[in-house]
PDB file of all heavy atoms in Angstrom:
ATOM      1  N   ASP V 319    -142.585  44.987-185.218  1.00 88.00           N
ATOM      2  CA  ASP V 319    -143.095  43.647-184.927  1.00 88.00           C
ATOM      3  C   ASP V 319    -141.974  42.689-184.515  1.00 88.00           C
ATOM      4  O   ASP V 319    -141.966  41.517-184.886  1.00 88.00           O
ATOM      5  CB  ASP V 319    -143.846  43.087-186.141  1.00 88.00           C
ATOM      6  CG  ASP V 319    -144.768  41.924-185.756  1.00 88.00           C
ATOM      7  OD1 ASP V 319    -145.177  41.866-184.581  1.00 88.00           O
ATOM      8  OD2 ASP V 319    -145.060  41.075-186.622  1.00 88.00           O
ATOM      9  N   ILE V 320    -141.013  43.219-183.755  1.00 90.00           N
ATOM     10  CA  ILE V 320    -139.907  42.387-183.266  1.00 90.00           C
ATOM     11  C   ILE V 320    -139.694  42.659-181.773  1.00 90.00           C
ATOM     12  O   ILE V 320    -138.570  42.875-181.317  1.00 90.00           O
ATOM     13  CB  ILE V 320    -138.600  42.641-184.054  1.00 90.00           C
ATOM     14  CG1 ILE V 320    -138.308  44.147-184.171  1.00 90.00           C
ATOM     15  CG2 ILE V 320    -138.635  41.987-185.411  1.00 90.00           C
ATOM     16  CD1 ILE V 320    -136.947  44.460-184.775  1.00 90.00           C
ATOM     17  N   SER V 321    -140.784  42.652-181.021  1.00 88.00           N
ATOM     18  CA  SER V 321    -140.676  42.945-179.592  1.00 88.00           C
ATOM     19  C   SER V 321    -139.780  41.941-178.876  1.00 88.00           C
ATOM     20  O   SER V 321    -139.174  42.262-177.850  1.00 88.00           O
ATOM     21  CB  SER V 321    -142.060  42.957-178.943  1.00 88.00           C
ATOM     22  OG  SER V 321    -142.704  41.712-179.110  1.00 88.00           O
ATOM     23  N   TYR V 322    -139.672  40.732-179.422  1.00 86.00           N
ATOM     24  CA  TYR V 322    -138.844  39.712-178.780  1.00 86.00           C
ATOM     25  C   TYR V 322    -137.353  40.057-178.841  1.00 86.00           C
ATOM     26  O   TYR V 322    -136.542  39.452-178.138  1.00 86.00           O
ATOM     27  CB  TYR V 322    -139.082  38.341-179.426  1.00 86.00           C
ATOM     28  CG  TYR V 322    -138.732  38.268-180.888  1.00 86.00           C
ATOM     29  CD1 TYR V 322    -137.476  37.833-181.301  1.00 86.00           C
ATOM     30  CD2 TYR V 322    -139.654  38.637-181.864  1.00 86.00           C
ATOM     31  CE1 TYR V 322    -137.147  37.776-182.638  1.00 86.00           C
ATOM     32  CE2 TYR V 322    -139.337  38.575-183.207  1.00 86.00           C
ATOM     33  CZ  TYR V 322    -138.084  38.146-183.593  1.00 86.00           C
ATOM     34  OH  TYR V 322    -137.759  38.093-184.922  1.00 86.00           O
ATOM     35  N   LYS V 323    -136.972  41.034-179.676  1.00 90.00           N
ATOM     36  CA  LYS V 323    -135.579  41.466-179.736  1.00 90.00           C
ATOM     37  C   LYS V 323    -135.300  42.644-178.800  1.00 90.00           C
ATOM     38  O   LYS V 323    -134.166  43.115-178.711  1.00 90.00           O
ATOM     39  CB  LYS V 323    -135.209  41.863-181.171  1.00 90.00           C
ATOM     40  CG  LYS V 323    -135.184  40.707-182.163  1.00 90.00           C
ATOM     41  CD  LYS V 323    -134.762  41.176-183.545  1.00 90.00           C
ATOM     42  CE  LYS V 323    -134.745  40.030-184.546  1.00 90.00           C
ATOM     43  NZ  LYS V 323    -133.644  39.085-184.331  1.00 90.00           N
ATOM     44  N   CYS V 324    -136.326  43.122-178.122  1.00 93.00           N
ATOM     45  CA  CYS V 324    -136.209  44.334-177.315  1.00 93.00           C
ATOM     46  C   CYS V 324    -135.616  44.037-175.936  1.00 93.00           C
ATOM     47  O   CYS V 324    -135.986  43.065-175.277  1.00 93.00           O
ATOM     48  CB  CYS V 324    -137.588  44.970-177.158  1.00 93.00           C
ATOM     49  SG  CYS V 324    -137.586  46.480-176.177  1.00 93.00           S
ATOM     50  N   SER V 325    -134.709  44.899-175.495  1.00 94.00           N
ATOM     51  CA  SER V 325    -134.110  44.750-174.164  1.00 94.00           C
ATOM     52  C   SER V 325    -135.160  44.850-173.064  1.00 94.00           C
ATOM     53  O   SER V 325    -135.101  44.144-172.052  1.00 94.00           O
ATOM     54  CB  SER V 325    -133.041  45.827-173.945  1.00 94.00           C
ATOM     55  OG  SER V 325    -131.904  45.584-174.737  1.00 94.00           O
ATOM     56  N   LYS V 326    -136.115  45.729-173.254  1.00 94.00           N
ATOM     57  CA  LYS V 326    -137.170  45.906-172.257  1.00 94.00           C
ATOM     58  C   LYS V 326    -137.965  44.615-172.071  1.00 94.00           C
ATOM     59  O   LYS V 326    -138.256  44.200-170.941  1.00 94.00           O
ATOM     60  CB  LYS V 326    -138.088  47.044-172.711  1.00 94.00           C
ATOM     61  CG  LYS V 326    -139.234  47.350-171.780  1.00 94.00           C
ATOM     62  CD  LYS V 326    -140.056  48.496-172.372  1.00 94.00           C
ATOM     63  CE  LYS V 326    -141.357  48.675-171.637  1.00 94.00           C
ATOM     64  NZ  LYS V 326    -142.209  49.691-172.290  1.00 94.00           N
ATOM     65  N   ALA V 327    -138.301  43.965-173.184  1.00 92.00           N
ATOM     66  CA  ALA V 327    -139.052  42.710-173.112  1.00 92.00           C
ATOM     67  C   ALA V 327    -138.257  41.631-172.389  1.00 92.00           C
ATOM     68  O   ALA V 327    -138.820  40.799-171.673  1.00 92.00           O
ATOM     69  CB  ALA V 327    -139.431  42.242-174.516  1.00 92.00           C
TER      70      ALA V 327
END
Side-chain angles (χ1 to χ4, degrees):
D319 199 25
I320 49 172
S321 59
Y322 61 94
K323 292 182 180 289
C324 180
S325 289
K326 180 180 169 186

